[in-house]
Short mmCIF file of all heavy atoms in Angstrom, two decimals:
data_model
loop_
_atom_site.label_atom_id
_atom_site.label_comp_id
_atom_site.label_asym_id
_atom_site.label_seq_id
_atom_site.Cartn_x
_atom_site.Cartn_y
_atom_site.Cartn_z
N GLY A 310 -2.45 -67.78 -85.80
CA GLY A 310 -1.99 -68.23 -87.10
C GLY A 310 -2.58 -67.46 -88.27
O GLY A 310 -2.01 -67.44 -89.36
N ASP A 311 -3.72 -66.78 -88.05
CA ASP A 311 -4.29 -65.96 -89.12
C ASP A 311 -3.61 -64.61 -89.22
O ASP A 311 -3.95 -63.79 -90.07
CB ASP A 311 -5.80 -65.78 -88.92
CG ASP A 311 -6.16 -65.05 -87.64
OD1 ASP A 311 -5.27 -64.59 -86.89
OD2 ASP A 311 -7.38 -64.91 -87.37
N GLY A 312 -2.62 -64.37 -88.34
CA GLY A 312 -1.87 -63.12 -88.38
C GLY A 312 -2.46 -61.99 -87.59
O GLY A 312 -1.86 -60.92 -87.48
N GLU A 313 -3.63 -62.20 -87.02
CA GLU A 313 -4.31 -61.15 -86.27
C GLU A 313 -3.98 -61.26 -84.78
O GLU A 313 -3.75 -62.35 -84.26
CB GLU A 313 -5.82 -61.23 -86.48
CG GLU A 313 -6.24 -60.94 -87.90
CD GLU A 313 -5.81 -59.56 -88.38
OE1 GLU A 313 -5.99 -58.58 -87.62
OE2 GLU A 313 -5.29 -59.46 -89.51
N PRO A 314 -3.98 -60.12 -84.07
CA PRO A 314 -3.69 -60.14 -82.63
C PRO A 314 -4.65 -61.04 -81.87
O PRO A 314 -5.81 -61.19 -82.23
CB PRO A 314 -3.89 -58.68 -82.21
CG PRO A 314 -3.69 -57.90 -83.45
CD PRO A 314 -4.22 -58.76 -84.56
N ILE A 315 -4.10 -61.64 -80.83
CA ILE A 315 -4.89 -62.46 -79.92
C ILE A 315 -4.47 -62.06 -78.51
O ILE A 315 -3.28 -61.87 -78.24
CB ILE A 315 -4.70 -63.97 -80.19
CG1 ILE A 315 -5.67 -64.80 -79.37
CG2 ILE A 315 -3.27 -64.40 -80.01
CD1 ILE A 315 -5.73 -66.27 -79.79
N ALA A 316 -5.42 -61.87 -77.63
CA ALA A 316 -5.11 -61.44 -76.27
C ALA A 316 -4.46 -62.57 -75.49
O ALA A 316 -4.85 -63.73 -75.61
CB ALA A 316 -6.38 -60.99 -75.57
N PRO A 317 -3.45 -62.26 -74.68
CA PRO A 317 -2.86 -63.27 -73.83
C PRO A 317 -3.89 -63.82 -72.84
O PRO A 317 -4.71 -63.07 -72.32
CB PRO A 317 -1.76 -62.53 -73.08
CG PRO A 317 -1.47 -61.32 -73.90
CD PRO A 317 -2.78 -60.96 -74.56
N CYS A 318 -3.83 -65.12 -72.58
CA CYS A 318 -4.71 -65.72 -71.58
C CYS A 318 -4.29 -65.22 -70.20
O CYS A 318 -3.27 -64.56 -70.04
CB CYS A 318 -4.64 -67.25 -71.66
SG CYS A 318 -3.07 -67.96 -71.10
N GLY A 319 -5.06 -65.54 -69.19
CA GLY A 319 -4.77 -65.09 -67.84
C GLY A 319 -3.41 -65.54 -67.34
O GLY A 319 -2.66 -64.77 -66.75
N ARG A 320 -3.08 -66.80 -67.57
CA ARG A 320 -1.77 -67.33 -67.15
C ARG A 320 -0.65 -66.54 -67.81
O ARG A 320 0.33 -66.18 -67.17
CB ARG A 320 -1.68 -68.80 -67.51
CG ARG A 320 -0.33 -69.41 -67.24
CD ARG A 320 -0.35 -70.90 -67.62
NE ARG A 320 0.94 -71.49 -67.40
CZ ARG A 320 1.61 -72.16 -68.32
NH1 ARG A 320 1.11 -72.35 -69.52
NH2 ARG A 320 2.78 -72.68 -68.04
N CYS A 321 -0.81 -66.26 -69.09
CA CYS A 321 0.23 -65.56 -69.82
C CYS A 321 0.34 -64.11 -69.41
O CYS A 321 1.42 -63.52 -69.44
CB CYS A 321 0.01 -65.69 -71.32
SG CYS A 321 0.37 -67.38 -71.85
N ARG A 322 -0.77 -63.52 -69.02
CA ARG A 322 -0.70 -62.15 -68.50
C ARG A 322 0.19 -62.12 -67.26
O ARG A 322 0.98 -61.20 -67.08
CB ARG A 322 -2.10 -61.63 -68.20
CG ARG A 322 -2.92 -61.42 -69.45
CD ARG A 322 -4.36 -61.04 -69.18
NE ARG A 322 -5.13 -61.13 -70.41
CZ ARG A 322 -6.30 -60.58 -70.60
NH1 ARG A 322 -6.88 -59.90 -69.63
NH2 ARG A 322 -6.91 -60.72 -71.76
N GLN A 323 0.06 -63.14 -66.43
CA GLN A 323 0.89 -63.22 -65.22
C GLN A 323 2.35 -63.44 -65.59
O GLN A 323 3.25 -62.84 -65.00
CB GLN A 323 0.38 -64.34 -64.31
CG GLN A 323 1.08 -64.39 -62.97
CD GLN A 323 0.81 -63.17 -62.10
OE1 GLN A 323 -0.33 -62.74 -61.96
NE2 GLN A 323 1.85 -62.63 -61.51
N VAL A 324 2.62 -64.29 -66.57
CA VAL A 324 4.00 -64.52 -67.04
C VAL A 324 4.59 -63.22 -67.58
O VAL A 324 5.72 -62.85 -67.24
CB VAL A 324 4.05 -65.64 -68.10
CG1 VAL A 324 5.40 -65.69 -68.80
CG2 VAL A 324 3.72 -66.99 -67.48
N LEU A 325 3.84 -62.51 -68.39
CA LEU A 325 4.32 -61.24 -68.95
C LEU A 325 4.54 -60.21 -67.85
O LEU A 325 5.48 -59.41 -67.91
CB LEU A 325 3.35 -60.72 -70.00
CG LEU A 325 3.28 -61.53 -71.29
CD1 LEU A 325 2.16 -61.01 -72.19
CD2 LEU A 325 4.61 -61.54 -72.03
N TYR A 326 3.68 -60.22 -66.83
CA TYR A 326 3.83 -59.29 -65.72
C TYR A 326 5.17 -59.50 -65.01
O TYR A 326 5.83 -58.54 -64.60
CB TYR A 326 2.67 -59.46 -64.73
CG TYR A 326 2.62 -58.39 -63.68
CD1 TYR A 326 1.94 -57.20 -63.93
CD2 TYR A 326 3.24 -58.55 -62.46
CE1 TYR A 326 1.89 -56.19 -62.98
CE2 TYR A 326 3.20 -57.56 -61.50
CZ TYR A 326 2.53 -56.39 -61.76
OH TYR A 326 2.49 -55.39 -60.81
N GLU A 327 5.57 -60.74 -64.89
CA GLU A 327 6.84 -61.06 -64.24
C GLU A 327 8.02 -60.37 -64.95
O GLU A 327 8.97 -59.94 -64.32
CB GLU A 327 7.05 -62.58 -64.25
CG GLU A 327 8.31 -63.05 -63.59
CD GLU A 327 8.23 -63.10 -62.07
OE1 GLU A 327 7.13 -63.01 -61.50
OE2 GLU A 327 9.30 -63.23 -61.45
N PHE A 328 7.93 -60.26 -66.26
CA PHE A 328 9.05 -59.76 -67.05
C PHE A 328 8.86 -58.36 -67.61
O PHE A 328 9.78 -57.81 -68.20
CB PHE A 328 9.37 -60.74 -68.19
CG PHE A 328 9.85 -62.06 -67.68
CD1 PHE A 328 8.98 -63.12 -67.54
CD2 PHE A 328 11.17 -62.23 -67.29
CE1 PHE A 328 9.41 -64.34 -67.05
CE2 PHE A 328 11.61 -63.45 -66.79
CZ PHE A 328 10.73 -64.51 -66.67
N GLY A 329 7.67 -57.79 -67.44
CA GLY A 329 7.44 -56.45 -67.97
C GLY A 329 6.66 -55.54 -67.04
O GLY A 329 6.68 -54.33 -67.21
N GLY A 330 5.96 -56.13 -66.09
CA GLY A 330 5.18 -55.33 -65.15
C GLY A 330 3.98 -54.67 -65.78
O GLY A 330 3.65 -54.89 -66.94
N ALA A 331 3.32 -53.87 -64.99
CA ALA A 331 2.08 -53.21 -65.40
C ALA A 331 2.29 -52.23 -66.56
O ALA A 331 1.37 -51.94 -67.30
CB ALA A 331 1.46 -52.48 -64.22
N GLU A 332 3.52 -51.75 -66.73
CA GLU A 332 3.81 -50.75 -67.76
C GLU A 332 4.07 -51.35 -69.13
O GLU A 332 4.21 -50.62 -70.12
CB GLU A 332 5.01 -49.90 -67.34
CG GLU A 332 4.77 -49.14 -66.04
CD GLU A 332 3.54 -48.24 -66.13
OE1 GLU A 332 3.45 -47.44 -67.08
OE2 GLU A 332 2.66 -48.34 -65.25
N LEU A 333 4.13 -52.66 -69.25
CA LEU A 333 4.39 -53.33 -70.52
C LEU A 333 3.32 -52.97 -71.54
O LEU A 333 2.12 -53.05 -71.26
CB LEU A 333 4.41 -54.85 -70.31
CG LEU A 333 4.54 -55.72 -71.55
CD1 LEU A 333 5.89 -55.52 -72.22
CD2 LEU A 333 4.33 -57.18 -71.19
N TRP A 334 3.74 -52.58 -72.75
CA TRP A 334 2.81 -52.27 -73.83
C TRP A 334 2.44 -53.55 -74.56
O TRP A 334 3.31 -54.34 -74.91
CB TRP A 334 3.43 -51.30 -74.84
CG TRP A 334 3.62 -49.92 -74.33
CD1 TRP A 334 4.80 -49.32 -73.99
CD2 TRP A 334 2.61 -48.94 -74.12
NE1 TRP A 334 4.57 -48.04 -73.57
CE2 TRP A 334 3.24 -47.78 -73.64
CE3 TRP A 334 1.22 -48.95 -74.28
CZ2 TRP A 334 2.53 -46.62 -73.33
CZ3 TRP A 334 0.52 -47.79 -73.96
CH2 TRP A 334 1.17 -46.64 -73.49
N LEU A 335 1.14 -53.75 -74.82
CA LEU A 335 0.65 -54.90 -75.57
C LEU A 335 -0.03 -54.41 -76.85
O LEU A 335 -0.88 -53.52 -76.80
CB LEU A 335 -0.36 -55.70 -74.75
CG LEU A 335 0.20 -56.43 -73.54
CD1 LEU A 335 -0.92 -57.06 -72.74
CD2 LEU A 335 1.20 -57.48 -73.97
N ASP A 336 0.36 -54.99 -77.95
CA ASP A 336 -0.19 -54.63 -79.24
C ASP A 336 -1.67 -55.01 -79.32
O ASP A 336 -2.07 -56.08 -78.88
CB ASP A 336 0.59 -55.35 -80.34
CG ASP A 336 0.15 -54.97 -81.73
OD1 ASP A 336 -0.29 -53.82 -81.94
OD2 ASP A 336 0.27 -55.82 -82.62
N ALA A 337 -2.45 -54.14 -79.90
CA ALA A 337 -3.88 -54.41 -80.11
C ALA A 337 -4.20 -54.53 -81.60
O ALA A 337 -5.35 -54.66 -81.97
CB ALA A 337 -4.72 -53.32 -79.47
N GLY A 338 -3.18 -54.46 -82.45
CA GLY A 338 -3.38 -54.57 -83.88
C GLY A 338 -3.32 -53.23 -84.59
O GLY A 338 -3.37 -52.17 -83.95
N GLU A 339 -3.21 -53.30 -85.90
CA GLU A 339 -3.15 -52.09 -86.70
C GLU A 339 -4.41 -51.26 -86.51
O GLU A 339 -5.52 -51.78 -86.51
CB GLU A 339 -2.97 -52.45 -88.17
CG GLU A 339 -1.62 -53.08 -88.45
CD GLU A 339 -1.42 -53.40 -89.91
OE1 GLU A 339 -1.77 -52.55 -90.76
OE2 GLU A 339 -0.93 -54.50 -90.18
N GLY A 340 -4.21 -49.97 -86.31
CA GLY A 340 -5.34 -49.06 -86.16
C GLY A 340 -5.92 -49.02 -84.76
O GLY A 340 -6.85 -48.26 -84.51
N ALA A 341 -5.41 -49.82 -83.86
CA ALA A 341 -5.89 -49.83 -82.48
C ALA A 341 -4.75 -49.41 -81.55
O ALA A 341 -3.59 -49.74 -81.81
CB ALA A 341 -6.40 -51.21 -82.09
N ALA A 342 -5.09 -48.71 -80.53
CA ALA A 342 -4.07 -48.23 -79.59
C ALA A 342 -3.55 -49.37 -78.72
O ALA A 342 -4.35 -50.15 -78.19
CB ALA A 342 -4.66 -47.13 -78.71
N PRO A 343 -2.23 -49.48 -78.57
CA PRO A 343 -1.68 -50.47 -77.64
C PRO A 343 -2.17 -50.19 -76.23
O PRO A 343 -2.52 -49.06 -75.89
CB PRO A 343 -0.17 -50.25 -77.74
CG PRO A 343 0.04 -49.52 -79.02
CD PRO A 343 -1.20 -48.70 -79.24
#
C-alpha cells in the first residue's frame, strides 16, 4: 500500500511459477534490476 515493491511470499511464488515458470521477470523496484 505504500507503493513500494514487496516480495511474493512462498505460496505466491509457487502460484506465479504455475503461470510463468522460472523465466518470469519480477520487479524489484525503480533502480533495481528485475
